[in-house]
């Protein structure tokens, strides 16, 4: 199993540009989520999904969109990038009954200039 | 979710035990204590979790005080590869979200 994969690893955007961060998992996990991590800080939840077709907002959802059309994929869309969205983005997956056990991807480092 | 207090940094000599404390005095009865670590720039990695009994796995041991207000993660023989930020995360049963604080930066020195 590849586990949780994220692409790209690095991205530089100009203010106002849009892009999609990709996340995929091959463990057939129902739960998927997106976090961001700013320098020196812990992770903060952006959006999460408990199954295909179901998404909900986390702690810091503004400026981001998500959709979940398949179990495997959970893309994160930045609608109009802002310098405040410069961060490292982590995707995670889990399954019902796992409690607080989540599997994290390697991250995407995004810089918005 | 319960609030946690962890020291911002700790040092440990290679081969010695690393004992990382966490205070979670407001933890509720159904909240487990989860520990994750994050090696530089990588995604967080699950280590261990417990409710009220001590737990041990191949990575670490977790000691939870009887009143559940604090816990200690023990890495029995720390290696240089254990240098990472360690997060203590109380988590209730139906709450999907993991709340990460700033954690403890453990530096294992040769």
């Amino acid at each position: 199993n590849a586990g949780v994969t994220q692409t790209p690893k690095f991205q530089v955007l100009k203010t106002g540009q849009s892009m999609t961060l990709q996340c995929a998992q091959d463990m057939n996990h129902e739960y998927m989520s997106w976090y961001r991590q700013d320098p020196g800080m812990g992770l903060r939840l952006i959006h999460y999904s408990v199954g295909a077709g179901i998404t909900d907002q986390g702690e810091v959802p503004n400026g981001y969109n998500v959709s979940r059309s398949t179990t495997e994929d959970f893309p994160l869309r930045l609608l109009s990038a802002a310098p405040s969205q410069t961060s490292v983005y982590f995707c995670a997956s889990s399954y019902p009954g796992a409690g607080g056990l989540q599997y994290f991807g390697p991250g995407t480092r995004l810089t918005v200039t | 979710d319960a609030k946690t207090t962890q020291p911002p940094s700790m040092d440990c000599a290679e081969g010695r035990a690393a004992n990382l404390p966490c205070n979670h005095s407001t933890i509720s009865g159904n909240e487990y204590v989860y520990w994750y670590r994050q090696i530089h720039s990588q995604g967080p990695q699950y280590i261990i979790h417990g409710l009220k009994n001590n737990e041990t796995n191949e990575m670490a041991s977790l000691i939870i005080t009887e009143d559940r207000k604090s816990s200690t993660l023990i890495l029995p023989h720390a290696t240089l590869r254990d240098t990472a930020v360690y997060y203590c995360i109380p988590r209730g049963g139906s709450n999907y979200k993991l709340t990460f604080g700033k954690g403890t930066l453990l530096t294992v020195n040769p």
Side-chain angles (χ1 to χ4, degrees), chain A residues 81-95:
Chain A
S84 60
Q85 294 178 305
T86 294
S87 192
V88 182
Y89 291 84
F90 292 101
C91 179
S93 74
S94 187
Y95 53 90

Side-chain angles (χ1 to χ4, degrees), chain A residues 25-32 68 71 93-95 103:
Chain A
Q25 52 89 12
D26 62 359
M27 297 175 282
N28 203 31
H29 286 172
E30 291 185 38
Y31 297 164
M32 295 186 74
R68 183 100 179 268
T71 299
S93 74
S94 187
Y95 53 90
Y103 298 83

Side-chain angles (χ1 to χ4, degrees), chain A residues 10-50:
Chain A
F10 301 94
Q11 182 70 48
V12 179
L13 289 178
K14 293 190 188 311
T15 297
Q17 287 184 317
S18 62
M19 80 159 295
T20 300
L21 280 61
Q22 301 292 344
C23 174
Q25 52 89 12
D26 62 359
M27 297 175 282
N28 203 31
H29 286 172
E30 291 185 38
Y31 297 164
M32 295 186 74
S33 57
W34 277 101
Y35 293 83
R36 62 176 286 176
Q37 185 174 32
D38 300 323
M41 304 293 289
L43 281 71
R44 292 184 293 170
L45 184 65
I46 305 172
H47 285 285
Y48 66 96
S49 169
V50 298

